[in-house]
Amino acid sequence: MINETLEKAFNDQINAEFYSEYLYLSMYAYFDRMNLQGFKNWMDVQRQEERAHAMGLFQYLQDRGGKVTLDKIEQPKTNWESPLDVFEDVLKHEQLVTSKINALADVADSVKDRAAVSFLDWYIKEQVEEESNVSNVLKTLRLICNDKQCIYMLDKELAARTFTQPVIE
Ligand code: OFO
């Protein structure tokens, strides 16, 4: 049986992951309005990843005999100034999620739940990849994308991103 404090922390993180999906879906809608299909595709892949992250935590909590308690999901922002503005927000958001995952692992550690600590290692590593993926797009946007032609080229590149269902274990 999972510790009650840890159960609450897992539920908070499940909510944060569903919020991430919501946020990226809102960014997806923004890029759809701008007719930037590649950026939209990037957000579609990202929101699917967030759903997988949420469900990984969800299933783990159930498997450990904990109770999943779904909470309401905060309304995400709906407008941005530019693709750069969006990706600045994405990086900030992923940095926040990294700090939340670390805090969750700290709770697991503090209640000496070695199995949960080990499970959460996957999420800690995943956050490194998440921040790196976002930073790569952001670097291009910050350094060289000052014109519409560059945004168009980057849009073509981002269209190639595909979703692979992660194996969380
Ligand atoms: Fe779930 O990693 Fe992004 O938020």
Coordinates of all heavy atoms in Angstrom, one line a residue, residues 27-28 30-43 83 87 137 140-141 145 147-161:
M27 N -1.7 25.5 -27.4 CA -0.7 26.0 -28.3 C -0.9 25.4 -29.7 O -0.7 26.0 -30.8 CB 0.7 25.6 -27.8 CG 1.1 26.4 -26.5 SD 2.6 25.7 -25.8 CE 2.9 27.0 -24.5
Y28 N -1.4 24.1 -29.8 CA -1.7 23.5 -31.0 C -2.8 24.3 -31.7 O -2.7 24.6 -32.9 CB -2.2 22.1 -30.7 CG -2.9 21.3 -31.8 CD1 -2.2 20.3 -32.4 CD2 -4.2 21.5 -32.1 CE1 -2.8 19.5 -33.4 CE2 -4.8 20.7 -33.1 CZ -4.1 19.7 -33.8 OH -4.7 19.0 -34.7
Y30 N -3.4 27.5 -31.3 CA -2.8 28.8 -31.8 C -2.1 28.6 -33.1 O -2.3 29.4 -34.0 CB -1.8 29.2 -30.7 CG -0.9 30.3 -31.1 CD1 -1.3 31.7 -31.2 CD2 0.4 30.0 -31.5 CE1 -0.4 32.7 -31.6 CE2 1.3 31.0 -31.9 CZ 0.9 32.3 -31.9 OH 1.7 33.3 -32.4
F31 N -1.3 27.5 -33.2 CA -0.5 27.3 -34.5 C -1.5 26.9 -35.6 O -1.2 27.3 -36.8 CB 0.5 26.2 -34.3 CG 1.7 26.7 -33.5 CD1 2.2 26.1 -32.4 CD2 2.4 27.9 -34.0 CE1 3.3 26.6 -31.6 CE2 3.5 28.4 -33.3 CZ 4.0 27.7 -32.1
D32 N -2.6 26.3 -35.3 CA -3.6 26.0 -36.3 C -4.2 27.3 -36.8 O -4.3 27.4 -38.0 CB -4.7 25.1 -35.7 CG -5.5 24.4 -36.8 OD1 -5.0 24.0 -37.8 OD2 -6.7 24.3 -36.6
R33 N -4.4 28.2 -35.9 CA -5.0 29.5 -36.4 C -4.0 30.2 -37.3 O -4.4 31.0 -38.2 CB -5.3 30.4 -35.2 CG -6.5 29.9 -34.3 CD -7.0 31.0 -33.4 NE -6.1 31.5 -32.4 CZ -5.9 30.9 -31.2 NH1 -6.5 29.8 -30.9 NH2 -5.0 31.4 -30.4
M34 N -2.7 30.0 -37.0 CA -1.7 30.7 -37.8 C -1.3 29.9 -39.1 O -0.5 30.4 -39.8 CB -0.4 30.9 -37.0 CG -0.5 31.8 -35.8 SD 1.1 32.1 -35.1 CE 1.9 33.1 -36.3
N35 N -2.0 28.8 -39.2 CA -1.7 27.9 -40.3 C -0.2 27.4 -40.4 O 0.4 27.3 -41.5 CB -2.1 28.5 -41.7 CG -2.3 27.4 -42.7 OD1 -2.6 26.3 -42.4 ND2 -2.2 27.8 -44.0
L36 N 0.4 27.2 -39.2 CA 1.8 26.7 -39.2 C 1.7 25.2 -38.8 O 1.6 24.8 -37.7 CB 2.6 27.5 -38.1 CG 3.0 28.9 -38.6 CD1 3.6 29.6 -37.4 CD2 4.0 28.8 -39.7
Q37 N 1.5 24.4 -39.9 CA 1.2 23.0 -39.7 C 2.3 22.2 -39.0 O 2.0 21.2 -38.3 CB 0.9 22.3 -41.1 CG -0.3 23.0 -41.7 CD -1.6 22.9 -40.9 OE1 -1.9 21.9 -40.3 NE2 -2.4 24.0 -40.9
G38 N 3.6 22.6 -39.2 CA 4.7 21.8 -38.6 C 4.7 22.1 -37.1 O 4.9 21.2 -36.3
F39 N 4.6 23.4 -36.7 CA 4.6 23.8 -35.3 C 3.4 23.1 -34.6 O 3.4 22.6 -33.5 CB 4.4 25.3 -35.1 CG 5.7 26.0 -35.3 CD1 6.1 26.5 -36.6 CD2 6.6 26.3 -34.2 CE1 7.3 27.2 -36.7 CE2 7.8 27.0 -34.4 CZ 8.1 27.5 -35.6
K40 N 2.3 23.0 -35.4 CA 1.0 22.4 -34.8 C 1.3 20.9 -34.6 O 1.0 20.3 -33.6 CB -0.1 22.6 -35.9 CG -1.4 22.0 -35.4 CD -2.5 22.2 -36.4 CE -2.8 21.0 -37.2 NZ -4.0 21.1 -38.0
N41 N 2.0 20.3 -35.5 CA 2.4 18.9 -35.4 C 3.3 18.6 -34.2 O 3.1 17.7 -33.4 CB 3.1 18.4 -36.7 CG 3.6 17.0 -36.5 OD1 2.8 16.0 -36.3 ND2 4.9 16.8 -36.5
W42 N 4.2 19.5 -34.0 CA 5.1 19.4 -32.8 C 4.3 19.4 -31.5 O 4.5 18.6 -30.6 CB 6.1 20.6 -32.8 CG 7.3 20.4 -31.9 CD1 8.5 19.9 -32.3 CD2 7.3 20.6 -30.5 NE1 9.4 19.9 -31.1 CE2 8.7 20.3 -30.1 CE3 6.4 21.1 -29.5 CZ2 9.1 20.4 -28.7 CZ3 6.8 21.2 -28.2 CH2 8.1 20.9 -27.8
M43 N 3.3 20.3 -31.5 CA 2.5 20.4 -30.3 C 1.6 19.2 -30.1 O 1.3 18.7 -29.0 CB 1.6 21.6 -30.3 CG 2.3 22.9 -30.1 SD 3.2 22.9 -28.5 CE 4.3 24.3 -28.8
P83 N 5.7 32.5 -32.5 CA 6.2 31.2 -32.2 C 7.3 31.3 -31.1 O 7.4 30.4 -30.3 CB 6.8 30.7 -33.5 CG 5.9 31.4 -34.6 CD 5.6 32.8 -34.0
F87 N 7.4 29.2 -27.5 CA 8.5 28.3 -27.1 C 9.2 28.8 -25.8 O 9.7 28.0 -25.1 CB 9.4 28.0 -28.2 CG 8.9 26.8 -29.0 CD1 8.0 26.9 -30.0 CD2 9.2 25.5 -28.7 CE1 7.4 25.9 -30.7 CE2 8.7 24.4 -29.3 CZ 7.8 24.6 -30.4
V137 N 14.6 23.9 -30.3 CA 13.7 24.7 -31.2 C 13.9 26.2 -30.8 O 14.0 27.1 -31.6 CB 12.2 24.3 -31.0 CG1 11.3 25.2 -31.8 CG2 12.0 22.8 -31.3
T140 N 17.0 27.9 -32.2 CA 16.8 28.3 -33.6 C 15.9 29.6 -33.7 O 16.3 30.6 -34.4 CB 16.1 27.2 -34.4 OG1 16.9 26.0 -34.2 CG2 16.0 27.5 -35.9
L141 N 14.9 29.6 -32.9 CA 14.0 30.8 -32.9 C 14.7 32.0 -32.4 O 14.5 33.1 -33.0 CB 12.7 30.5 -32.1 CG 11.7 29.5 -32.7 CD1 10.7 29.1 -31.7 CD2 10.9 30.2 -33.9
C145 N 15.8 33.0 -36.3 CA 14.5 33.2 -36.9 C 14.0 34.6 -36.7 O 13.0 34.8 -36.0 CB 13.6 32.1 -36.4 SG 13.4 30.7 -37.5
D147 N 12.9 36.3 -39.5 CA 12.0 36.6 -40.6 C 11.1 35.4 -40.9 O 11.2 34.3 -40.4 CB 12.9 36.9 -41.8 CG 13.8 35.8 -42.2 OD1 13.5 34.6 -41.9 OD2 14.9 36.0 -42.8
K148 N 10.1 35.8 -41.7 CA 9.0 34.8 -42.0 C 9.6 33.6 -42.8 O 9.0 32.5 -42.6 CB 7.9 35.5 -42.9 CG 7.1 36.4 -42.0 CD 6.0 37.0 -42.7 CE 5.2 37.9 -41.8 NZ 4.4 38.9 -42.4
Q149 N 10.6 33.8 -43.6 CA 11.1 32.7 -44.3 C 11.7 31.6 -43.4 O 11.6 30.4 -43.6 CB 12.2 33.2 -45.3 CG 12.5 32.1 -46.3 CD 13.6 32.6 -47.3 OE1 14.1 33.7 -47.3 NE2 14.1 31.7 -48.1
C150 N 12.4 32.1 -42.4 CA 13.0 31.1 -41.4 C 11.9 30.3 -40.6 O 12.0 29.1 -40.4 CB 13.9 31.9 -40.4 SG 14.6 30.8 -39.2
I151 N 10.8 31.1 -40.3 CA 9.7 30.4 -39.6 C 9.1 29.3 -40.5 O 8.8 28.2 -40.1 CB 8.6 31.4 -39.2 CG1 9.1 32.5 -38.2 CG2 7.3 30.7 -38.7 CD1 9.3 32.0 -36.8
Y152 N 9.0 29.7 -41.8 CA 8.5 28.7 -42.7 C 9.4 27.5 -42.8 O 8.9 26.3 -42.8 CB 8.4 29.4 -44.1 CG 7.9 28.6 -45.2 CD1 6.5 28.3 -45.4 CD2 8.8 28.0 -46.2 CE1 6.1 27.4 -46.4 CE2 8.3 27.2 -47.2 CZ 7.0 26.9 -47.3 OH 6.6 26.1 -48.3
M153 N 10.7 27.7 -42.9 CA 11.7 26.5 -43.0 C 11.6 25.7 -41.7 O 11.6 24.5 -41.8 CB 13.1 27.0 -43.1 CG 13.4 27.8 -44.4 SD 13.1 26.9 -45.9 CE 14.5 25.8 -45.8
L154 N 11.5 26.3 -40.5 CA 11.4 25.6 -39.3 C 10.1 24.8 -39.2 O 10.1 23.7 -38.7 CB 11.6 26.6 -38.1 CG 11.6 26.0 -36.7 CD1 12.8 25.0 -36.6 CD2 11.8 27.1 -35.6
D155 N 9.1 25.4 -39.7 CA 7.8 24.8 -39.7 C 7.9 23.4 -40.5 O 7.3 22.4 -40.1 CB 6.7 25.7 -40.4 CG 5.3 25.2 -40.2 OD1 4.9 25.0 -39.0 OD2 4.6 25.0 -41.2
K156 N 8.6 23.5 -41.6 CA 8.8 22.2 -42.4 C 9.5 21.2 -41.6 O 9.2 20.0 -41.6 CB 9.6 22.5 -43.7 CG 8.9 23.4 -44.7 CD 8.0 22.7 -45.6 CE 7.1 23.5 -46.4 NZ 5.7 23.4 -46.2
E157 N 10.5 21.6 -40.9 CA 11.3 20.7 -40.1 C 10.5 20.1 -38.9 O 10.6 18.9 -38.7 CB 12.5 21.5 -39.5 CG 13.6 20.7 -38.9 CD 14.7 21.6 -38.3 OE1 15.1 22.5 -39.0 OE2 15.1 21.3 -37.1
L158 N 9.7 20.9 -38.3 CA 8.9 20.4 -37.1 C 7.8 19.5 -37.6 O 7.3 18.7 -36.7 CB 8.3 21.6 -36.3 CG 9.4 22.5 -35.7 CD1 8.7 23.6 -34.8 CD2 10.4 21.7 -34.8
A159 N 7.4 19.5 -38.8 CA 6.4 18.6 -39.4 C 6.8 17.2 -39.3 O 6.0 16.3 -39.4 CB 6.1 19.0 -40.8
A160 N 8.2 17.0 -39.2 CA 8.7 15.6 -39.3 C 8.6 14.9 -37.9 O 8.8 13.7 -37.8 CB 10.1 15.6 -39.7
R161 N 8.3 15.6 -36.8 CA 8.3 15.0 -35.5 C 7.2 13.9 -35.4 O 6.0 14.2 -35.9 CB 8.1 16.0 -34.4 CG 8.3 15.5 -33.0 CD 8.0 16.5 -31.9 NE 8.4 16.0 -30.7 CZ 8.0 16.4 -29.5 NH1 7.2 17.5 -29.4 NH2 8.4 15.9 -28.4

